[in-house]
């Protein structure tokens, strides 16, 4: 008989500032050594659920708790946050608060220092754990020199030093490039196998987490648990679709083709998925759907010529990058963590000045223009929402740019409310930003730029932490803008997003442009995938396994079909 | 706006090898002497010693030149201000008046005493500055926090200092990013604006910076709490370093310098050395 | 359970607060046009932190923040003024109980109290203690240091009155009152 380690019984929680509970009547048991994934729409209460486990609720976030929560048999009411921290190790969602120490070694040792461990013991333990996460060569590096993926490993090591029973990850993949994300999932899996800890992962990127084995998936919607089953069962059921969580693409394709999925077909992983039974349907569907129409060429609007830039003299971050973007085009910029994607966007907006090269807008050299002058046409949503938010209230934040431009009040109101609806924030319009979930905050920053109606829109990781429905709504709106001639540049680690919405992809590696092609071609080229830490889509695999000779065509058609289906949501 | 600032410079030198505690104590002794004395002989001696230590430390002048230039500029302004406000301060202190340049026999006549007094003021800075700069660039910030704790500052406050050092570069980066994103929404930051407008514009950066740091406080204290900070009465430090012989010798040496300096300075009952009497 | 020690939040507030104080003092001092006199926005921030986190935090942020700013940007701390920044932070912090900003309101009465206190405290600090220490420690001319104290102190009072008050009212507003948030569709 397995030993339960986490037991929620009729558990509810209401933040003090809220009028309604955020978690309702949660009943959930997680057993020792299990690996559980929690999914759900943005703002559904996943992080809150995590906070209940590690004690931040109610020690740091005040509110009303009812029902009971037991962790390894002890009621959390009788525990303080320190004893809880010995049982539950947490990797938090917000990237800003993750690291405390100055260097990698100190950050890993932080919990040991607090225990008063002798120095020699700390050295041994840090050496051991850092080897486990393959960071032993970086012990003296300071944390802000690390790439996103390395940071993730350090935070993992930081909770590993304490012999906790439960590891809790709140969106461990956000901001990681696809290959590093895959690595992170494998790392978590390996550590769990070696130590037999209980692992709880909260994540939007379902398909990526399912890369390794998961025992159970729990679906949270609006503060309630609406499903609790094995991955195979869940993927065969309609639950994910109902609460608009993105299914793995191969599952979606199979469903579109009209296959009846059953748990016995083992749809949890593409490798185990028994394609044979729906081969015929897939081939048939492939023949029926139309392939998308290629777009006609129009005039080039934004042009970069030989841009070179370095933050410090002697080290170039961007090297001789050139490209031009046409009216109404949607383009992805993809590449490894630290490749220079965000830097490129800063150069376009004038946040940084290139050391060499020019930027043209409608044929005019804008290299000398100030940020403000460029901002009249180019809008940018930065990667980290905390760096953009400057007002207390959601409405004021979104209205800010319009107020500065002296737009009449009535018009401001109309435009702001319209944008809030697009971004799914309308119900929260009178809230302070501090009461939002991470994904909701990100949407506020998107809204605050959309409302300005720029001619060029740059979005740095727009879908990080977003659920499928909001993501689709925002993206469809962007597509509409694209039809009106707006240029949309998306920096992203999300290969689905790239395939679906941006016909063209620019790949950056080590500060250089290594490819500029259709998204499908980029993902079909294994050298590019390798060089830029990308990941090929499971649709290729599916097509191949179903014996469809033209996997690229299959992907193209799937995407066109899928988009059409989703447009009906609105 | 990537303004340079002093930070730890990794080297292998005897100065680097001293523990943070030693350097902190020595720095405090050094600045106390420099504060108390106005004795030219003592100041000159200290100045020469600090130059010597600077050379031993293998820190290159080039690496700290930006700060030195700034200090020189500041000293110049300060000297001018002293002269403007009190051109006869030296005469008051030393009790004699040797006029060098007579400006109508008045207040602004240049005296040898004033020159000597201002020379001493400047020398006073010159003795502290190398020591202060060395202390900053040769002490590993994390070891510094451990040192504070070692000399009796509570570990909580020591850790607050460590956090401050850790977050200064972060906050500097945030400041820059916020400034950019505000400009991108149409706020003009150019220096040509009028003062009230400039204040308003500055507020549009400062307020978000402050609010985001309040959020940071929340997030970081949560993270620290989750990893057991503040659980025990004591904590250990990964970067702490044990005392060695060289540390003890250095401290004894500095205490001797302290005693001798104070003796030389005050044995005539006055902190000024008076060559005029 | 009330802990006797400084709470973790206060410690983090001291650390981050000092960093912000140093950065503001270095980058966000607005020149008035008169040479060497700035609206030093860091004091507005110091006042906010002192009221929100209490006298110990206020005092230490002033002390550590100012010492660090001088040390890493200017090479050496100017101790007399560092000490006064600490004292000002500490004394302003003493009104934190009376204002109780966490309750989510900053009334006219509290605004007046805050400003009266900050003006008195800063007068003591900048007009009295700072110049006196300058004379004692650095033997600088008396009239020079008092005029410096008057100008800097006066500007700091204005900065705190404007920016400090503004920040506190924004902060109070951001403390959403319990049971006030509903989704309205
Ligand atoms: N500090 C807070 N005070 C008040 N309400 C809050 C607070 N934090 C979160 N909430 C509310 O609780 C709800 C759930 O938030 P939570 O952070 O748990 O969502 P989430 O599922 O993790 O979302 P995401 O995927 O965007 O991170 C949000 O809608 C938000 O309104
Ligand atoms: N402000 C800065 N000062 C100095 N170096 C920086 C700065 N910002 C970024 N860098 C460095 O420049 C390189 C490129 O960073 P950038 O943020 O553009 O990467 P990215 O491609 O956006 O990565 P990610 O996918 O992780 O967001 C990295 O090595 C990073 O460490
Ligand atoms: Mg969350
Ligand atoms: Mg980036």
């Amino acid at each position: 008989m397995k030993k339960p380690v986490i037991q929620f019984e009729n558990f509810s929680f209401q933040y003090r500032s809220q009028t309604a509970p955020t978690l309702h009547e949660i009943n959930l048991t997680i057993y020792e050594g299990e690996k559980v994934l929690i999914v759900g729409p943005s703002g559904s209460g996943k992080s809150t659920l995590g906070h209940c486990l590690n004690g931040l609720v109610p020690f740091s976030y005040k509110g009303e708790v009812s029902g009971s929560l037991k962790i390894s048999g002890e009621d959390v009411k009788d525990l303080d946050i320190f004893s809880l921290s010995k049982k539950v190790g947490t990797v938090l969602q917000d990237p800003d608060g993750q690291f405390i120490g100055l260097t990698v070694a100190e950050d890993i040792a932080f919990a040991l220092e607090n225990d008063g461990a002798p120095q020699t013991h700390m050295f041994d333990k840090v050496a051991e754990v850092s080897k486990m996460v393959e960071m032993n060569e970086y012990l003296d590096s300071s944390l802000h020199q690390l790439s996103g993926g390395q940071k993730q490993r350090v935070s993992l090591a930081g909770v590993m030093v304490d012999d906790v029973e439960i590891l809790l990850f709140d969106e461990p993949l956000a901001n990681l490039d696809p290959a590093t994300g895959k690595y992170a999932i494998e790392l978590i899996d390996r550590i769990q196998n070696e130590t037999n800890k209980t692992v709880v992962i909260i994540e939007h990127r379902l398909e990526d987490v399912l890369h390794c084995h998961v025992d159970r998936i729990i679906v949270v919607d609006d503060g309630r648990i609406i499903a609790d089953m094995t991955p195979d069962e869940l993927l065969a059921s309609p639950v994910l679709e109902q609460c608009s969580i993105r299914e793995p693409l191969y599952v979606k394709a199979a469903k579109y083709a009209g296959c009846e999925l059953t748990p016995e077909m083992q749809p949890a992983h593409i490798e185990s998925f028994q394609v044979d039974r729906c081969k015929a349907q897939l081939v048939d569907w492939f023949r029926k759907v139309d392939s998308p129409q290629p777009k006609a060429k129009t005039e080039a609007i934004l042009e970069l010529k030989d841009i070179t830039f370095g933050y410090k003299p002697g080290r170039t971050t961007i090297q001789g990058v050139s490209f031009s973007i046409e009216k109404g085009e949607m383009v992805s910029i993809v590449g490894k963590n630290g490749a220079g994607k965000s830097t490129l966007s800063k150069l376009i907006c004038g946040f940084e000045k290139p050391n060499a090269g020019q930027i043209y807008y409608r044929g005019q050299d804008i290299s000398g223009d100030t940020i403000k002058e460029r901002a009249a046409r180019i809008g940018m949503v930065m990667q980290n929402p905390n760096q953009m938010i400057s007002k207390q209230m959601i409405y004021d934040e979104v209205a800010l740019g319009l107020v500065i431009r002296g737009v009449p009040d009535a018009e401001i109101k109309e435009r702001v409310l319209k944008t809030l609806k697009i971004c799914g924030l309308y119900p929260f319009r009178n809230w302070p930003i501090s009461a939002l979930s991470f994904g909701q905050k990100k949407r506020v920053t998107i809204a605050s730029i959309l409302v300005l109606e720029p001619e060029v829109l740059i979005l740095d990781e727009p879908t990080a932490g977003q659920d499928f429905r909001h993501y689709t709504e925002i993206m469809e709106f962007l597509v509409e803008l694209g039809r009106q001639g707006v240029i949309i540049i998306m920096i992203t680690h999300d290969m689905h997003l790239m395939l679906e919405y941006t016909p063209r992809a620019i790949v950056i590696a080590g500060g250089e442009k290594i490819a500029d092609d259709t998204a499908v071609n980029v993902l079909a080229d294994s050298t590019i995938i390798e060089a830029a830490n990308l990941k090929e889509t499971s649709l290729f695999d599916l097509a191949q396994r179903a014996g469809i000779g033209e996997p690229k065509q299959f992907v193209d058609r799937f995407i066109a079909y899928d988009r059409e289906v989703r447009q009906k949501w609105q | 706006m990537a303004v340079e600032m002093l930070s730890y410079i990794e080297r292998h030198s005897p100065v680097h090898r001293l523990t943070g505690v030693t350097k902190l104590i020595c720095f405090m002794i050094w600045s106390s002497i420099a504060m108390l004395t106005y004795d030219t002989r003592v100041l000159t001696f200290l100045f020469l010693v600090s130059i010597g230590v600077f050379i031993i430390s293998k820190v290159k002048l080039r690496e700290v030149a930006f700060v030195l230039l700034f200090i020189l500029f500041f000293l110049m302004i300060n000297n001018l201000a002293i002269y403007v406000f009190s051109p006869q301060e030296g005469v008051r202190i030393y009790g004699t008046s040797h006029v060098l340049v007579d400006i109508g026999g008045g207040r602004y006549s240049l005296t040898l005493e004033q020159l000597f007094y201002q020379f001493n003021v400047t020398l006073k800075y010159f003795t502290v500055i190398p020591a202060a700069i060395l202390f900053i660039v040769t002490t590993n910030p994390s070891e510094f926090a451990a040192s504070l704790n070692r000399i009796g500052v509570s570990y909580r406050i020591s850790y607050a200092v460590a956090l401050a050092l850790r977050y200064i570069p972060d906050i500097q980066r945030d400041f820059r990013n916020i400034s950019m994103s505000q400009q991108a929404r149409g706020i003009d930051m150019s220096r040509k604006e009028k003062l009230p407008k400039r204040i308003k514009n500055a507020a549009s950066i400062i307020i978000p910076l402050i609010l985001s740091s309040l959020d940071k406080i929340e997030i970081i204290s949560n993270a620290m709490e989750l990893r057991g900070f503040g659980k025990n009465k004591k904590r250990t430090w990964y970067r702490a370093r044990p005392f060695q012989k060289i540390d003890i010798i250095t401290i004894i040496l500095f205490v001797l310098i302290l005693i001798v300096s104070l003796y030389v300075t005050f044995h005539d009952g006055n902190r000024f050395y008076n060559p005029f009497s | 359970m009330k802990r006797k020690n400084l709470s973790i939040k206060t410690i983090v507030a001291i650390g981050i607060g000092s960093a912000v104080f140093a950065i503001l003092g270095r980058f966000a001092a607005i020149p008035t046009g008169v040479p060497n006199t700035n609206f030093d926005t860091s004091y507005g921030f110091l006042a906010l932190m002192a009221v929100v986190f209490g006298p110990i935090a206020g005092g230490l942020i002033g002390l550590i923040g100012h010492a660090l700013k001088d040390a890493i940007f200017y090479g050496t701390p100017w101790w007399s003024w560092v000490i006064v920044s600490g004292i000002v932070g500490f004394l302003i912090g003493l009104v934190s109980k009376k204002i109780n900003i966490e309750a989510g309101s900053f009334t006219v009465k509290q605004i007046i109290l805050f400003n009266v206190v900050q003006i008195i405290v800063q007068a003591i600090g900048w007009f009295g203690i700072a110049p006196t220490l300058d004379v004692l420690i650095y033997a600088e001319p008396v009239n020079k240091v008092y005029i410096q104290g008057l100008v800097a102190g006066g500007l700091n009072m204005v900065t705190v009155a404007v920016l400090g008050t503004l920040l506190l009212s924004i902060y109070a507003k951001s403390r959403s009152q319990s049971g006030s948030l509903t989704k309205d569709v």
Side-chain angles (χ1 to χ4, degrees):
Chain A
M1 179 65 204
K2 283 184 294 183
K3 200 177 105 198
V5 283
I6 300 170
Q7 287 169 288
F8 285 97
E9 260 166 48
N10 287 328
F11 186 92
S12 300
F13 175 72
Q14 178 173 347
Y15 283 103
R16 195 159 61 184
S17 58
Q18 302 278 4
T19 46
T22 294
L23 296 177
H24 306 264
E25 301 281 313
I26 301 285
N27 283 300
L28 172 66
T29 308
I30 294 172
Y31 299 93
E32 188 174 20
E34 247 190 327
K35 184 162 161 208
V36 172
L37 169 64
I38 300 179
V39 295
S42 167
S44 59
K46 303 180 299 297
S47 296
T48 308
L49 194 66
H51 292 158
C52 296
L53 288 179
N54 59 31
L56 287 180
V57 165
F59 291 105
S60 179
Y61 298 106
K62 302 287 176 212
E64 213 170 300
V65 179
S66 68
S68 86
L69 166 60
K70 287 200 191 114
I71 297 208
S72 44
E74 289 180 84
D75 199 315
V76 290
K77 281 198 208 90
D78 309 325
L79 295 171
D80 59 19
I81 192 158
F82 295 135
S83 5
L84 260 175
S85 78
K86 284 274 133 208
K87 295 177 190 290
V88 185
T90 315
V91 176
L92 292 165
Q93 181 173 18
D94 199 313
D96 287 344
Q98 206 61 255
F99 303 104
I100 303 157
L102 270 164
T103 57
V104 171
E106 282 164 87
D107 196 74
I108 297 177
F110 186 72
L112 298 173
E113 292 182 324
N114 296 329
D115 273 341
Q119 222 175 1
T120 45
H121 172 70
M122 285 198 269
F123 289 149
D124 294 346
K125 191 83 194 182
V126 168
E128 178 197 322
V129 174
S130 62
K131 201 170 263 155
M132 206 160 182
V133 298
E134 291 167 31
M135 285 299 290
N136 42 335
E137 280 168 26
Y138 295 89
L139 287 182
D140 290 324
S141 306
S142 99
L143 282 159
H144 56 247
Q145 291 167 350
L146 302 180
S147 81
Q150 292 171 326
K151 280 186 183 163
Q152 212 74 45
R153 291 181 215 182
V154 176
S155 52
L156 185 56
V159 297
M160 295 283 311
V161 284
D162 244 353
D163 266 320
V164 290
E165 297 162 42
I166 302 164
L167 287 174
L168 171 65
F169 299 91
D170 198 348
E171 301 223 13
L173 301 185
N175 290 318
L176 293 187
D177 64 51
T180 311
K182 196 165 147 187
Y183 178 82
I185 287 296
E186 285 165 4
L187 183 65
I188 293 173
D189 195 55
R190 203 183 76 214
I191 284 168
Q192 195 214 10
N193 286 338
E194 281 169 18
T195 57
N196 198 32
K197 291 185 198 306
T198 308
V199 172
V200 179
I201 303 173
I202 299 171
E203 185 52 70
H204 285 283
R205 284 158 67 175
L206 176 62
E207 185 173 340
D208 290 335
V209 179
L210 287 181
H211 171 63
C212 290
H213 172 78
V214 168
D215 294 305
R216 265 193 302 159
I217 301 181
I218 293 167
V219 184
V220 181
D221 193 9
D222 211 8
R224 292 170 210 275
I225 291 183
I226 57 166
D228 175 354
M229 34 183 129
T230 64
D232 287 332
E233 284 164 358
L234 184 71
L235 292 180
S237 78
V239 172
L240 289 176
E241 203 168 0
Q242 279 157 13
C243 54
S244 59
I245 293 164
R246 152 156 273 163
E247 292 164 282
L249 290 183
Y250 56 91
V251 172
K252 194 85 220 177
K255 285 188 181 171
Y256 281 153
C259 308
E260 274 300 325
L261 290 196
T262 56
E264 292 71 45
M265 290 163 78
Q266 301 180 335
H269 311 281
I270 177 79
E271 299 85 29
S272 61
F273 183 38
Q274 322 239 300
V275 189
D276 295 346
R277 282 202 239 161
C278 48
K279 220 170 182 169
Q281 279 147 311
L282 275 167
V283 174
D284 199 35
W285 178 76
F286 174 67
R287 273 206 224 97
K288 269 196 310 218
V289 280
D290 307 326
S291 53
Q293 299 301 313
K295 247 178 95 173
K297 267 208 171 301
T298 51
E299 47 176 333
I301 301 274
L302 184 72
E303 216 176 339
L304 272 69
K305 274 219 178 100
D306 270 327
I307 296 287
T308 296
F309 170 78
Y311 285 100
K312 288 194 196 92
R315 245 189 60 208
T316 51
T317 305
I318 297 291
Q319 199 142 26
V321 171
S322 312
F323 55 80
S324 82
I325 300 180
E326 288 170 15
K327 193 169 173 187
E329 236 187 330
M330 286 180 94
V331 179
S332 277
I333 300 182
V334 294
K336 243 190 224 186
N337 285 122
K341 304 179 296 298
S342 301
T343 307
L344 201 57
S345 68
K346 287 181 187 165
L347 287 163
I348 297 175
C349 296
F351 290 9
E352 305 286 353
K353 293 261 174 288
N355 302 350
Q358 285 85 35
I359 300 175
Y360 296 93
Y361 186 80
R362 289 186 193 273
Q364 218 173 358
D365 189 352
I366 56 165
S367 310
D369 289 10
T370 63
I371 299 175
K372 189 188 163 187
E373 284 161 344
R374 296 186 200 198
R377 309 180 197 115
I378 305 174
M380 156 139 125
V381 181
M382 302 212 276
Q383 189 165 10
N384 183 347
N386 298 337
Q387 284 168 353
M388 286 186 68
I389 291 171
S390 61
K391 293 280 179 193
Q392 291 296 295
M393 308 302 290
I394 294 170
Y395 181 91
D396 297 341
E397 176 66 27
V398 178
L400 179 68
L402 295 176
V403 173
I404 293 169
R405 286 169 198 203
V407 176
D409 280 352
E411 193 189 333
I412 293 183
K413 183 153 186 200
E414 192 203 314
R415 277 165 74 176
V416 170
L417 293 183
K418 188 180 132 225
T419 314
L420 286 176
K421 273 183 199 149
I422 292 164
C423 296
L425 291 166
Y426 189 74
F428 311 102
R429 61 194 176 280
N430 297 319
W431 286 25
I433 292 168
S434 59
L436 293 182
S437 82
F438 194 76
Q440 289 169 328
K441 256 193 219 168
K442 179 90 192 186
R443 264 182 278 146
V444 171
T445 61
I446 296 176
S448 71
I449 296 298
L450 282 186
V451 78
L452 298 177
E453 300 173 358
E455 294 164 38
V456 176
L457 193 54
I458 305 177
L459 301 127
D460 202 341
E461 303 285 354
T463 57
Q466 302 302 329
D467 62 72
F468 199 34
R469 171 165 293 257
H470 289 116
Y471 157 125
T472 305
E473 272 164 15
I474 293 172
M475 285 303 145
E476 289 301 328
F477 180 74
L478 293 181
V479 170
E480 187 49 44
L481 288 181
R483 278 195 204 111
Q484 292 163 19
V486 175
I487 288 181
I488 291 156
I489 302 174
M490 269 185 279
I491 298 172
T492 185
H493 291 306
D494 185 339
M495 296 297 106
H496 305 157
L497 178 76
M498 170 176 93
L499 279 175
E500 264 174 314
Y501 288 98
T502 59
R504 176 177 161 202
I506 294 171
V507 186
I508 305 284
E512 286 177 72
K513 187 177 93 171
I514 61 163
D516 183 347
D517 203 341
T518 64
V520 180
N521 282 345
V522 163
L523 283 195
D525 185 333
S526 60
T527 36
I528 298 177
I529 289 184
E530 180 89 7
N533 265 10
L534 306 179
K535 201 177 100 186
E536 62 186 22
T537 159
S538 54
L539 288 172
F540 278 125
D541 281 338
L542 183 71
Q544 268 157 357
R545 295 188 55 196
I548 296 171
E550 308 134 282
K552 277 199 219 167
Q553 268 299 317
F554 181 76
V555 175
D556 270 340
R557 292 185 195 183
F558 170 81
I559 286 161
Y561 185 87
D562 184 47
R563 284 272 303 287
E564 226 161 90
V565 173
R566 270 189 287 149
Q567 266 164 10
K568 289 180 200 133
W569 282 6
Q570 279 148 33
Chain B
M1 202 186 56
V3 172
E4 292 191 79
M5 56 185 213
L6 290 179
S7 53
Y8 179 57
I9 301 175
E10 178 111 45
R11 282 291 131 77
H12 289 284
S13 84
V15 184
H16 285 77
R17 264 200 295 286
L18 294 175
T19 66
V21 186
T22 316
K23 275 178 277 200
L24 184 60
I25 293 174
C26 294
F27 174 61
M28 289 194 306
I29 292 179
W30 207 254
S31 22
S32 325
I33 313 178
M35 254 186 234
L36 292 169
T37 186
Y38 248 96
D39 191 308
T40 319
R41 297 161 301 182
V42 175
L43 287 174
T44 313
F45 171 70
L46 294 183
F47 176 60
L48 292 177
V49 172
S50 58
I51 296 291
V53 179
F54 200 95
I55 293 168
I56 296 174
S57 77
K58 295 190 189 158
V59 173
K60 299 198 185 66
L61 203 57
R62 180 168 51 77
E63 292 168 315
V64 295
F66 63 97
V67 156
L68 286 180
L69 285 178
F70 185 89
I71 295 173
L72 287 181
F73 177 73
F74 166 81
L75 277 179
M76 204 178 70
I77 301 276
N78 197 42
N79 268 314
L80 273 178
I82 293 180
Y83 194 74
V84 169
F85 281 103
S86 191
Q88 302 303 328
E89 189 75 13
V91 174
R92 198 182 60 71
I93 290 171
Y94 298 109
T96 52
S97 174
H98 297 75
V99 178
L100 289 178
V101 182
D102 191 345
I103 302 178
R107 199 170 128 73
Y108 282 101
S109 294
L110 183 65
T111 61
L112 198 54
E113 284 78 3
Q114 182 71 10
L115 275 185
F116 188 65
Y117 161 69
Q118 294 201 233
F119 168 72
N120 279 299
V121 171
T122 311
L123 190 57
K124 224 165 137 85
Y125 284 101
F126 273 70
T127 50
V128 195
I129 288 161
I133 292 180
L134 268 189
F135 175 64
I136 298 163
V137 302
T138 63
T139 309
N140 184 329
S142 355
E143 203 221 328
F144 176 61
S147 300
L148 281 177
N149 189 208
R150 177 88 67 86
I151 60 169
V153 177
S154 91
Y155 80 77
R156 289 155 182 276
I157 293 183
S158 307
Y159 211 85
V161 176
L163 281 175
L165 289 167
R166 152 88 172 78
Y167 276 97
I168 281 178
D170 275 33
I171 307 258
Q172 195 177 345
R173 212 173 33 233
D174 286 357
F175 186 88
R176 199 178 135 82
N177 279 326
I178 291 171
S179 153
M180 302 284 184
S181 83
Q182 293 303 95
Q183 288 177 67
R185 289 213 233 160
I187 290 175
D188 196 354
M189 293 288 169
S190 73
R191 303 210 165 264
K192 285 173 217 108
E193 294 280 2
K194 294 208 178 58
L195 187 62
K197 188 76 195 279
R198 247 190 3 229
I199 294 179
K200 220 175 139 203
N201 288 345
S204 72
I205 305 180
I206 293 165
I207 293 174
L209 179 74
I210 291 173
L211 296 176
S212 76
S213 28
L214 289 174
D215 284 344
K216 260 206 181 93
I217 292 173
E218 185 121 335
I219 296 166
I220 295 165
S221 46
N222 283 343
M224 283 171 63
E225 194 129 27
L226 286 180
R227 290 164 74 184
F229 185 84
K231 161 164 53 173
N232 300 324
K233 288 225 169 51
K234 276 208 186 97
R235 90 195 280 278
T236 46
W237 303 80
Y238 184 82
R239 289 267 183 239
R241 281 205 319 223
F243 252 52
Q244 267 151 355
K245 221 189 261 155
I246 183 169
D247 292 294
I248 305 195
I249 297 172
T250 312
I251 292 177
I252 293 177
L253 205 68
F254 272 69
V255 171
L256 286 180
I257 294 179
L258 175 70
I259 295 171
V260 173
S261 306
L262 292 188
Y263 177 77
V264 173
T265 307
F266 289 106
H267 86 285
D268 54 0
N270 188 333
R271 63 200 282 225
F272 295 95
Y273 166 67
N274 193 340
F276 300 105
S277 55
Chain C
M1 185 186 72
K2 180 106 178 100
R3 265 180 257 144
K4 203 172 82 236
N5 284 318
L6 291 178
S7 73
I8 295 186
K9 203 167 217 166
T10 314
I11 293 160
V12 178
I14 294 167
I16 305 290
S18 305
V20 174
F21 183 93
I23 295 295
L24 288 179
R26 177 65 183 79
F27 297 111
I30 307 159
T32 53
V34 186
N36 267 342
T37 49
N38 295 323
F39 285 108
D40 192 341
T41 53
S42 52
Y43 289 95
F45 170 71
L46 179 62
L48 167 78
M49 296 301 276
V51 173
V52 174
F53 295 99
I56 306 217
L60 287 171
I61 291 172
L63 208 64
I64 300 172
H66 197 155
L68 280 181
K69 174 186 77 177
D70 283 2
I72 67 174
F73 293 114
Y74 307 133
T76 170
W78 184 278
W79 291 112
S80 49
W81 289 48
V82 169
I83 292 168
V84 174
S85 288
I87 295 175
V88 165
F90 180 80
L91 292 179
I92 293 180
L94 290 179
V95 299
S96 60
K97 282 241 162 50
K98 277 252 164 1
I99 290 180
N100 190 15
I101 198 87
E102 292 296 326
S105 67
F106 192 42
T107 58
V108 177
K109 224 162 114 195
Q110 289 170 324
I111 292 179
I112 295 172
L113 172 73
F114 165 73
N115 278 294
V116 170
V117 170
Q118 69 96 350
I119 287 173
I120 296 174
V121 164
Q122 296 215 69
I124 300 173
W126 305 117
F127 304 162
I129 305 175
T132 312
L133 286 176
D134 272 347
V135 172
L136 287 179
I137 300 179
Y138 297 102
E140 295 232 336
V142 176
N143 54 355
K144 173 192 169 240
V145 294
Y146 277 93
I147 286 186
Q148 280 180 331
L150 274 177
V151 175
L155 285 174
N156 285 347
M157 286 175 189
V158 177
T159 313
V160 174
V162 177
L163 187 63
T165 310
L166 179 68
L167 284 172
L168 279 167
S169 34
I170 293 178
Y171 183 83
K173 247 192 264 154
S174 76
R175 303 289 96 182
S176 42
Q177 266 127 30
S178 40
S180 61
L181 300 178
T182 8
K183 290 187 207 176
D184 41 289
V185 185

